[in-house]
Amino acid sequence: MTVQLIRGDITKVEADAIVNAANSSLLGGGGVDGAIHRAGGPNILEECRAIVARQGKCKTGEAVITSGGNLPAKYVIHTVGPVWNGNPKEDELLANAYINSLKLAIEHGIKTIAFPNISTGIYRFPKERAAEIALDAVLDFPMIGEKLDKVVFVCFDEENFNIYNEMLK
Ligand code: AR6
């Protein structure tokens, strides 16, 4: 499995799935969530609404899947990271967001997946701590190397890019 690090906009990434750092309502918001819905078009929001109507809100650490709408990616996996308050439970919830996204991806036969730096924007999770949790969750996922062909970590800001770059060395 290839692990790739890029700096840029996840909406432009060609992968089977990109992951969205959503909120529990699944109805869109700012940050990467806003960018994905803007670039992906209204069908993604329609699918999110249908999911909420069927199974309720998406709890922190859980994930749901929609099509990629107008995006180059075939699917969007919407997950909800924790808001950072400094409670140790938040580490586990952040790990769950990555793990549950991977589980859903594998269930759908996805081979290439791109992650943003979940929770490190509006939800204020410390970036270094979040990167460590993200890398551990993904790289230690059972049999990941056999299940996926490529994982891309997409850093939008320079600070996250530098942190990932150091940790991946
Ligand atoms: N491509 C890749 N990464 C991006 C992009 C982009 N186009 N835009 C921002 N980022 P955030 P959160 C990075 O705030 O902290 C929304 O309102 C950004 O630099 O998008 O999980 C949701 O609806 C940061 O590193 O998500 C929720 O309410 C990372 O994406 C809330 O924000 C995550 O920042 C979720 O907050």
Side-chain angles (χ1 to χ4, degrees):
M1 183 184 77
T2 310
V3 177
Q4 193 184 4
L5 173 65
I6 61 174
R7 176 145 186 232
D9 179 355
I10 202 167
T11 66
K12 308 269 196 290
V13 172
E14 289 185 29
D16 293 341
I18 63 167
V19 175
N20 181 18
N23 61 65
S24 291
S25 78
L26 297 177
L27 297 182
V32 69
D33 193 10
I36 286 172
H37 281 287
R38 269 195 306 279
N43 287 354
I44 298 177
L45 189 59
E46 271 314 302
E47 290 176 56
C48 285
R49 282 190 208 282
I51 290 166
V52 174
R54 206 164 57 232
Q55 64 186 52
K57 290 183 177 183
C58 185
K59 294 197 188 86
T60 304
E62 293 184 358
V64 304
I65 191 165
T66 67
S67 77
N70 303 328
L71 295 168
K74 189 162 168 220
Y75 295 100
V76 177
I77 293 174
H78 307 260
T79 189
V80 182
V83 176
W84 170 260
N85 286 302
N87 182 329
K89 211 179 68 181
E90 291 150 14
D91 291 356
E92 194 186 329
L93 290 169
L94 183 59
N96 287 346
Y98 284 91
I99 291 165
N100 287 320
S101 296
L102 287 173
K103 284 186 183 161
L104 206 48
I106 292 160
E107 277 168 29
H108 284 77
I110 286 160
K111 291 290 180 187
T112 58
I113 186 168
F115 284 99
N117 309 131
I118 301 166
S119 284
T120 67
I122 293 162
Y123 284 176
R124 307 183 316 270
F125 210 101
K127 289 179 181 174
E128 203 153 322
R129 191 175 180 121
E132 219 166 279
I133 292 166
L135 288 173
D136 282 351
V138 173
L139 302 179
D140 293 346
F141 189 91
M143 315 255 290
I144 189 79
E146 278 128 84
K147 290 181 171 149
L148 295 183
D149 294 338
K150 185 158 89 169
V151 175
V152 188
F153 292 99
V154 183
C155 299
F156 194 64
D157 57 276
E158 190 177 5
E159 196 186 345
N160 264 315
F161 181 81
N162 290 338
I163 291 168
Y164 273 78
N165 202 19
E166 276 304 310
M167 287 185 184
L168 282 168
K169 267 183 192 162

